[in-house]
Amino acid sequence: MSSINCIGVLTSGGDAPGMNAAIRAVTRAAIYSKIAVKGIYRGYRGLILNEIIDLKTENVSNIIQRGGTILKSARCDEFRTPEGRKKAYDTLCEHQIDALVVIGGDGSLTGARVLAQEHNFPIVGLPGTIDNDLYGTDVTIGYDTALNTVMECVDKIRDTASSHERLFFIEVMGRDAGFLALNGAIASGAEAAIIPEISLEKDQLSEMIETGFRKSKNSSIVLVAESEVTGGAIGVAERVKTEYPQFDVRVSILGHLQRGGSPSAQDRILATRMGAAAIDALLDDQRNVMIGIQNDEIVHVPFAKAIKNDKPVNRDLLNMLRMISA
């Protein structure tokens, strides 16, 4: 068993529903194992600026249902430099923190990996991102809640789309990954999803329109991932106005609405399982790994794999969407 007496926990990058549940689980699992816990405000910036507090059981009471993160999050360009990371490491040593739990997405875990390598420091990551784009885990903390938010918003927009016989392009988050767009389209009964994984292979807009996707419908909804590859909803809509002027086109960008809200039951359970598993991993002398879940089982994924490998989109779901929306 590892001789860890104190751990730090921070949230970094974009917030995701369920981060608070993860903080709660990490804190309580550590205290149960007689390990002190320190909360680091504002991610890596707080680590450099020494914004650190002791976390007790009462500090994480009544937060499991809250969206966002009680530890806040912030960008930190200084942490991208070796000098900034040395400051962060010195802060960890000053507070006698023996290991770190980082909750965040791809960029956050990349920072964790570099810090761990440069200073031989034990770090375990939790995948906290609504994009669901981290390799090695079936699902990430916050994805289920965001997906439900997308579905609810599209349901409301459909009322207007049907009333006015319009073609709506709805932009959802997912700069490099189309999981929210694809599964949001399936869940909300949308006609199509335009995602970055496929845009590199073919012109999804032309394919969608030329297959006669509106032949029996008085309105249509298409979900578009916000990626530069897809052009986003505004870019796609401009193309339609130019190339297919017969359509009455509207755009709706859901934006940060997708990040907010009370986490779903699935996200609360997932975050709690992963948070407790992070402490187990550290006590087992695991380091430089992300806690993932595969086939409902907790797994340890090396940072290098989680960050570098692209998570594949399920092509069967794409084909199913085309068939069902025909």
Side-chain angles (χ1 to χ4, degrees):
M1 182 172 289
S2 175
S3 59
I4 292 177
N5 298 309
C6 178
I7 66 152
V9 58
L10 64 82
T11 52
S12 174
D15 61 300
M19 280 184 165
N20 283 328
I23 294 166
R24 173 181 179 269
V26 167
T27 301
R28 293 194 169 179
I31 291 171
Y32 179 82
S33 298
K34 298 182 170 48
I35 298 171
V37 186
K38 302 218 179 233
I40 300 154
Y41 279 116
R42 297 174 185 85
Y44 295 121
R45 190 173 85 181
L47 202 49
I48 291 173
L49 298 178
N50 203 4
E51 298 183 37
I52 297 178
I53 62 165
D54 292 325
L55 285 182
K56 306 295 184 186
T57 298
E58 56 268 25
N59 296 121
V60 294
S61 295
N62 198 32
I63 67 168
I64 194 171
Q65 78 282 8
R66 291 170 57 183
T69 163
I70 63 165
L71 292 178
K72 313 298 183 186
S73 185
R75 294 188 182 278
C76 183
D77 290 333
E78 189 177 0
F79 188 77
R80 299 176 185 272
T81 68
E83 296 78 16
R85 292 188 292 272
K86 177 63 166 58
K87 285 183 185 178
Y89 175 70
D90 290 342
T91 302
L92 291 168
C93 294
E94 177 188 339
H95 286 268
Q96 299 182 312
I97 295 173
D98 303 310
L100 188 61
V101 176
V102 172
I103 308 167
D106 182 84
S108 304
L109 298 190
T110 298
R113 181 192 182 203
V114 176
L115 178 64
Q117 287 178 333
E118 288 180 347
H119 299 283
N120 191 29
F121 195 81
I123 303 181
V124 169
L126 299 186
T129 168
I130 67 169
D131 291 343
N132 195 36
D133 59 347
L134 284 167
Y135 181 87
T137 185
D138 293 341
V139 67
T140 59
I141 296 167
Y143 172 66
D144 183 69
T145 306
L147 185 58
N148 277 283
T149 299
V150 168
M151 179 185 70
E152 291 165 7
C153 290
V154 175
D155 285 349
K156 290 177 171 63
I157 291 170
R158 184 178 292 282
D159 293 341
T160 292
S162 298
S163 298
H164 296 275
E165 298 185 317
R166 285 171 176 160
L167 167 55
F168 261 89
F169 290 105
I170 302 175
E171 183 174 293
V172 300
M173 287 185 172
R175 187 176 63 244
D176 300 309
F179 295 99
L180 273 178
L182 174 57
N183 287 300
I186 293 171
S188 60
E191 278 62 48
I194 297 179
I195 61 176
E197 292 91 337
I198 309 302
S199 289
L200 293 172
E201 301 171 10
K202 58 187 173 185
D203 187 337
Q204 295 174 85
L205 179 62
S206 294
E207 180 188 62
M208 180 185 74
I209 291 180
E210 287 165 14
T211 53
F213 76 111
R214 289 192 70 180
K215 56 184 177 287
S216 61
K217 299 166 184 163
N218 63 7
S219 69
S220 295
I221 289 179
V222 177
L223 268 61
V224 184
E226 66 181 350
S227 167
E228 290 181 8
V229 177
T230 66
I234 291 176
V236 174
E238 289 300 321
R239 272 197 62 194
V240 172
K241 288 176 184 177
T242 302
E243 299 174 26
Y244 307 97
Q246 69 270 30
F247 291 116
D248 184 11
V249 177
R250 293 293 185 275
V251 169
S252 184
I253 299 175
L254 299 188
H256 287 81
L257 185 70
Q258 297 158 85
R259 290 198 186 280
S262 180
S264 65
Q266 182 170 321
D267 272 329
R268 297 183 197 193
I269 294 166
L270 178 69
T272 301
R273 290 180 67 186
M274 287 182 166
I279 300 305
D280 287 340
L282 288 169
L283 291 175
D284 263 348
D285 289 322
Q286 297 278 342
R287 54 168 65 199
N288 305 341
V289 296
M290 179 192 79
I291 302 297
I293 192 158
Q294 296 175 7
N295 300 318
D296 204 35
E297 296 291 333
I298 292 290
V299 295
H300 299 155
V301 185
F303 280 155
K305 281 190 175 181
I307 295 162
K308 286 187 175 181
N309 292 348
D310 290 331
K311 186 173 181 178
V313 71
N314 188 333
R315 300 300 180 105
D316 291 340
L317 291 181
L318 267 172
N319 294 331
M320 185 191 72
L321 177 60
R322 291 192 189 103
M323 176 179 68
I324 296 299
S325 61

